[in-house]
Amino acid sequence: MENKLKEKYGLPTAICMVAGIVVGSGVFFKAQTILQKTGGNMPLGIAAWAIGGAIMLCCILAFAAMAGKFEKVNGVVDYAEAMVGSKYAYYVGWFLSVIYYPCLTSVLSWVCARYTLVFIKSVDPDFPLLSLAGGQEELMGPECVALMLFYLCAAYAVNALSPKIAGKLQVSSTVIKFIPLVLMAVVGIVWGLISGTLTENMIHTPQGAEDISMGGAIFAAVCAAAFAYEGWIIATSINSEIKNSKKNLPRALIIGGIIVVAIYIFYYIGVAGGATNEELMTEGATVAFVNVFGNVVGNILNLFIIISCVGTMNGLMLGTCRGMYSLAARGRGIKPKIFREIDEHTNMPNNSAVLALILCAFWGVYFFLANMANGSAWFGPFVFDSSELPVVTLYLMYIPIFIMWMVKAKEEKAVKRYVIPFLATAGSIFMVVASVVSHKMQNVWYLIVFAAVMLVGAIFSKKREE
């Protein structure tokens, strides 16, 4: 049995990995949240997307420089090891494997399930599985949980049993997901300018929005945008499987990142041309699609949104399956000998993938119960946003890596050595401050869970050769 991952992905797949993981549920799922956080202030929402995109691009440029120098088994863990040390790299990898990857993957599976139910309801309002009546209740009912777990299992099966098919799925779903985004960006802007809706949304904010603090609103909105922009770092988890990785991975990160920022901002403006701010805040982007394209085409585009979300979840699962393997390959973590095994037929770390699926299911059930709880029913106050806080934590973990790059990268020119990592550090600090301001007590509950998970990780931190 060969315990080494083979190079099987080219530059197009790597670019699609970056753009495909990032672009997906977040732009649909969080666009409504950002508008709500800003009180319907469309220009402020655009600013939040721009700030979040700028921070992402600075981090991408910083890691692109590292990707051109280091290549091992899991990009960001490799960079943490080279810059800060093996112990720090282990804890970064442990966090990614146990909290970050499975949390984001589970949230994506829920989003896939939710949009699937929205689509089914739009086609057949009397569909028997949608048993709960009234408003959005059925979107967080048992049907949604069952569908969420189905999507998780399907993504696991594709990635664990046939990684080549997973790569092709990533490319095809990336192409498909750009269809509704580009159409809404172009047609929505034109339609909104002709109808006057876009102009009205840009200058008009709903009643009561003036009571919202400008500073608090931008912090909360950027936190929401952070989730929508997140996922690009997962592309570095397959660096050892990308052909000519030291050249192709940096290219993929930069090209993919620029595409994402442009698409997000123009899509958000296009949505503003398709419905009033009040409609978008209460009903989300679906109403804009229906207004602009009509019921039939609007629902077809909603189907494309589901495919988009599935593609994003597939990319996240691709990284999630390799989480524990990246630790085991270094002789650390739970039972390194078991979790570094590579299946000779699929060239995949199947033991690592099985554990990843279990963790995803756990965090998926937590996300469901936390949203059903609304802060009281299931956990009391012990509820936190598992779609945003792990993302902010990773930005916090980037900071020592960027600082040590500035110290160690003596052969690099000033821009690569100082300017880019300094901007990336400043952006990461901004994300942390934004989380403290916007999430308040949720930060405390999350930190308790984070500390407990990291303490468990400490038990398995010693390097072992089994």
Side-chain angles (χ1 to χ4, degrees):
M1 184 176 296
E2 185 182 8
N3 286 312
K4 185 177 180 181
L5 295 171
K6 298 177 181 177
E7 294 181 352
K8 47 184 170 283
Y9 302 124
L11 179 59
T13 301
I15 293 173
C16 288
M17 187 66 62
V18 176
I21 293 174
V22 177
V23 176
S25 70
V27 68
F28 306 113
F29 174 41
K30 291 297 185 180
Q32 181 181 8
T33 302
I34 288 173
L35 199 57
Q36 291 170 343
K37 297 290 187 184
T38 57
N41 187 321
M42 189 60 66
L44 196 61
I46 294 172
W49 284 112
I51 292 170
I55 292 172
M56 179 191 73
L57 287 175
C58 286
C59 292
I60 280 178
L61 288 170
F63 280 123
M66 297 180 205
K69 295 177 66 68
F70 309 115
E71 176 188 346
K72 200 170 182 181
V73 294
N74 189 329
V76 68
V77 180
D78 297 341
Y79 313 147
E81 184 174 59
M83 293 295 101
V84 186
S86 59
K87 281 191 176 181
Y88 185 74
Y90 167 76
Y91 285 110
V92 171
W94 179 263
F95 165 75
L96 289 171
S97 302
V98 180
I99 298 179
Y100 177 85
Y101 287 152
C103 273
L104 265 64
T105 307
S106 65
V107 171
L108 260 295
S109 68
W110 171 81
V111 174
C112 290
R114 182 182 185 276
Y115 276 109
T116 301
L117 293 178
V118 169
F119 176 75
I120 293 172
K121 185 181 173 90
S122 67
V123 174
D124 183 4
D126 299 321
F127 190 72
L129 286 181
L130 298 180
S131 56
L132 298 178
Q136 299 281 310
E137 291 176 11
E138 69 271 17
L139 302 181
M140 281 307 297
E143 301 89 351
C144 191
V145 177
L147 197 53
M148 174 190 74
L149 294 174
F150 166 78
Y151 274 125
L152 279 176
C153 292
Y156 157 78
V158 171
N159 279 278
L161 302 179
S162 183
K164 287 188 177 180
I165 291 178
K168 291 178 180 178
L169 174 62
Q170 196 63 31
V171 174
S172 59
S173 65
T174 300
V175 173
I176 291 172
K177 73 177 59 181
F178 278 101
I179 294 174
L181 289 167
V182 173
L183 278 175
M184 179 51 76
V186 176
V187 181
I189 290 173
V190 173
W191 194 88
L193 289 173
I194 294 172
S195 66
T197 305
L198 182 57
T199 304
E200 179 66 16
N201 282 343
M202 288 296 178
I203 63 176
H204 166 75
T205 53
Q207 188 175 3
E210 61 274 6
D211 298 329
I212 296 177
S213 163
M214 185 76 72
I218 196 68
F219 279 137
V222 171
C223 262
F227 171 82
Y229 277 121
E230 196 52 32
W232 58 270
I233 194 64
I234 296 174
T236 67
S237 70
I238 61 165
N239 65 336
S240 62
E241 299 165 77
I242 296 175
K243 298 171 184 176
N244 197 7
S245 175
K246 289 185 178 180
K247 286 187 177 180
N248 284 335
L249 183 55
R251 291 171 182 169
L253 289 170
I254 295 168
I255 295 170
I258 292 171
I259 291 172
V260 168
V261 176
I263 285 288
Y264 274 19
I265 292 176
F266 282 107
Y267 167 79
Y268 190 71
I269 296 171
V271 166
T276 65
N277 286 339
E278 289 85 353
E279 288 176 317
L280 293 171
M281 289 172 68
T282 56
E283 300 180 51
T286 301
V287 67
F289 278 94
V290 173
N291 287 348
V292 174
F293 298 103
N295 284 320
V296 175
V297 178
N299 285 329
I300 291 174
L301 290 174
N302 281 330
L303 180 60
F304 278 37
I305 291 174
I306 296 171
I307 297 172
S308 168
C309 295
V310 169
T312 301
M313 184 189 61
N314 173 71
L316 285 167
M317 183 61 82
L318 190 149
T320 307
C321 287
R322 292 157 172 77
M324 201 56 67
Y325 168 80
S326 70
L327 300 179
R330 293 171 165 83
R332 298 179 187 271
I334 304 169
K335 295 291 182 181
K337 185 178 180 179
I338 293 175
F339 286 104
R340 67 169 170 248
E341 287 183 358
I342 302 295
D343 186 274
E344 59 183 342
H345 300 294
T346 63
N347 192 237
M348 273 292 293
N350 283 343
N351 294 330
S352 176
V354 170
L355 179 60
L357 178 63
I358 294 170
L359 289 169
C360 286
F362 169 80
W363 283 112
V365 171
Y366 172 84
F367 183 80
F368 164 72
L369 295 177
N371 277 274
M372 285 293 286
N374 290 323
S376 58
W378 290 87
F379 304 111
F382 204 81
V383 173
F384 59 84
D385 189 339
S386 60
S387 72
E388 293 182 13
L389 290 175
V391 174
V392 174
T393 305
L394 190 57
Y395 274 103
L396 181 62
M397 288 182 160
Y398 291 159
I399 294 173
I401 301 174
F402 296 147
I403 291 173
M404 292 310 298
W405 171 264
M406 288 188 277
V407 172
K408 293 184 175 182
K410 296 178 181 179
E411 71 283 1
E412 299 290 345
K413 293 182 180 179
V415 172
K416 272 191 177 182
R417 182 179 178 184
Y418 296 114
V419 177
I420 292 173
F422 173 80
L423 292 174
T425 301
S428 299
I429 292 172
F430 180 93
M431 285 293 189
V432 174
V433 173
S435 175
V436 171
V437 172
S438 62
H439 286 286
K440 300 180 176 65
M441 278 302 296
Q442 284 196 22
N443 290 291
V444 176
W445 310 130
Y446 169 72
L447 284 173
I448 293 172
V449 173
F450 173 79
V453 170
M454 299 310 279
L455 283 173
V456 172
I459 298 172
F460 303 102
S461 63
K462 187 177 179 181
K463 188 169 183 178
R464 298 183 299 280
E465 295 296 335
E466 298 181 1

